[in-house]
Amino acid sequence: MSSYQHILGVFSPYLSSQHALIKALFLADKSKSKLTLIQLTTPKFNFMKSTNNSTDMQPLAENEDLIFQYQNLGLEIEIKEVKSNSVSTEVLAEIEQAQYDLVIVNYKHHHPIFHEFFFAEEWSLLRQKQISVMLVGDKQWQHEGNILTAIETDDTSEQHINFNKKLLDDSEEIASLLDNNIHLINCFHNNNLSMEVSISNSTDNHRDTKAQHWLDLIDSAQDYDLEDEQLHLIEGLPDHIIPTIAEQYHVNMVIVGASEHQGWLSQLKGHTSEQIIDQLHCDILAIKPTL
């Protein structure tokens, strides 16, 4: 049985580019999931449209045609029309009313200076609810492409090990739905180095630390039929490494854990994590731990 039984997608009916709508329809169809769509218009935008000519309604007609095509294929779709200025407010209200497994919303990448003065509204979805969130942009999903999943192996608690397994289980399902390959990455720090130890001891400690992380990475991946070339162990900070590896392998999506006590997206302190997302030229799926 698919992990995705009920998907929530959000789209604005008058936009010419409907990335969230298209990808929500595709995933719901592939996973045989029920799909609820929030058709969101802002009151101001809706008033402006009422004063324009009929050619402005073309995107709306194209959306309706696309949805109708999937309904004809047997996909169960419910559409809720909402007038609001806030995507996150409407999503949070909706997931209080029904059970969802995944939320798919558009995300527009921002210039780094944006984060010095503003807060991207979509991030409140990652901070407040235990539901997986997919932020999608204009990059099309490539058939037989790659996804990149980031895990941590420092924490050996049962809770964290189970969460890593959930990340990999969900990654395996997404990879199957997209007909993609999984690449697994673990970024680590060598915390054993010190000014008080000799250079030779430091080198030995570094080698031992890296070897242990590699064994932990292999152990995490052993049930998922991944080759060594699909496993990446790199020393350094995730905010530098993950975007680089994602670009190198032209990934369709980066999958990460969010809101776990040691996850690299946990707590979303300051604006560093937002900047990580804006360095990625692909979609991102933030998976939450099971309550």
Side-chain angles (χ1 to χ4, degrees):
M1 178 182 292
S2 172
S3 301
Y4 304 113
Q5 299 297 306
H6 196 178
I7 294 174
L8 178 63
V10 184
F11 74 102
S12 176
Y14 298 110
L15 296 179
S16 58
S17 299
Q18 296 291 347
H19 313 302
L21 174 61
I22 292 170
K23 291 174 179 178
L25 287 166
F26 178 86
L27 274 183
D29 181 57
K30 285 289 188 179
S31 61
K32 308 305 178 186
S33 166
K34 177 182 178 181
L35 176 63
T36 296
L37 294 170
I38 295 179
Q39 181 175 288
L40 188 68
T41 58
T42 65
K44 179 180 178 181
F45 188 75
N46 196 56
F47 171 77
M48 292 172 61
K49 283 296 172 185
S50 67
T51 66
N52 291 334
N53 59 49
S54 60
T55 59
D56 294 324
M57 303 301 290
Q58 183 177 351
L60 179 58
E62 292 176 351
N63 297 338
E64 292 175 345
D65 289 344
L66 181 61
I67 293 170
F68 184 69
Q69 289 174 24
Y70 276 92
Q71 287 176 322
N72 279 344
L73 294 173
L75 183 60
E76 182 181 358
I77 304 174
E78 179 182 7
I79 302 175
K80 298 187 177 184
E81 298 182 8
V82 178
K83 293 181 181 180
S84 174
N85 293 308
S86 172
V87 171
S88 60
T89 296
E90 298 308 321
V91 168
L92 294 175
E94 178 60 30
I95 62 180
E96 290 291 341
Q97 304 301 316
Q99 181 68 39
Y100 292 97
D101 307 302
L102 175 66
V103 174
I104 301 178
V105 298
N106 283 311
Y107 184 76
K108 181 179 179 180
H109 288 74
H110 305 95
H111 189 278
I113 198 171
F114 171 91
H115 302 287
E116 299 295 335
F117 305 100
F118 303 101
F119 175 78
E121 185 189 16
E122 296 86 352
W123 283 90
S124 59
L125 298 177
L126 302 181
R127 296 187 179 194
Q128 297 183 28
K129 292 292 177 179
Q130 300 300 315
I131 184 169
S132 297
V133 178
M134 186 180 293
L135 305 177
V136 302
D138 59 0
K139 181 178 179 179
Q140 294 184 353
W141 290 335
Q142 299 300 312
H143 180 69
E144 297 183 349
N146 298 309
I147 65 172
L148 179 66
T149 299
I151 67 169
E152 295 178 352
T153 60
D154 287 333
D155 189 344
T156 58
S157 69
E158 182 178 358
Q159 179 184 5
H160 184 78
I161 291 172
N162 288 338
F163 185 50
N164 275 347
K165 185 177 186 304
K166 175 175 172 58
L167 281 174
L168 287 164
D169 287 344
D170 285 19
S171 298
E172 188 173 56
E173 179 162 8
I174 290 291
S176 176
L177 294 175
L178 300 185
D179 195 17
N180 275 199
N181 299 309
I182 298 174
H183 283 259
L184 193 60
I185 186 168
N186 180 27
C187 307
F188 77 99
H189 295 284
N190 184 16
N191 296 321
N192 295 323
L193 297 181
S194 169
M195 295 295 293
E196 299 178 0
V197 299
S198 66
I199 294 177
S200 60
N201 285 340
S202 297
T203 303
D204 291 341
N205 287 340
H206 182 272
R207 186 181 300 111
D208 291 344
T209 299
K210 187 172 184 178
Q212 185 59 56
H213 278 290
W214 178 248
L215 291 175
D216 291 339
L217 184 60
I218 292 175
D219 185 61
S220 298
Q222 65 178 347
D223 296 328
Y224 299 92
D225 196 27
L226 301 179
E227 303 293 336
D228 283 356
E229 57 265 25
Q230 294 172 267
L231 306 180
H232 308 277
L233 176 66
I234 304 176
E235 183 176 6
L237 296 173
D239 52 330
H240 298 305
I241 294 170
I242 291 176
T244 300
I245 298 299
E247 186 73 17
Q248 179 181 340
Y249 287 91
H250 308 288
V251 303
N252 288 318
M253 186 183 304
V254 169
I255 299 179
V256 297
S259 296
E260 202 206 12
H261 65 287
Q262 287 188 0
W264 68 278
L265 279 177
S266 67
Q267 307 305 318
L268 298 176
K269 296 176 181 176
H271 58 264
T272 303
S273 295
E274 289 94 327
Q275 290 180 331
I276 294 173
I277 297 302
D278 283 331
Q279 292 179 59
L280 295 170
H281 302 294
C282 63
D283 297 342
I284 183 165
L285 172 58
I287 295 176
K288 307 297 182 65
T290 304
L291 292 175

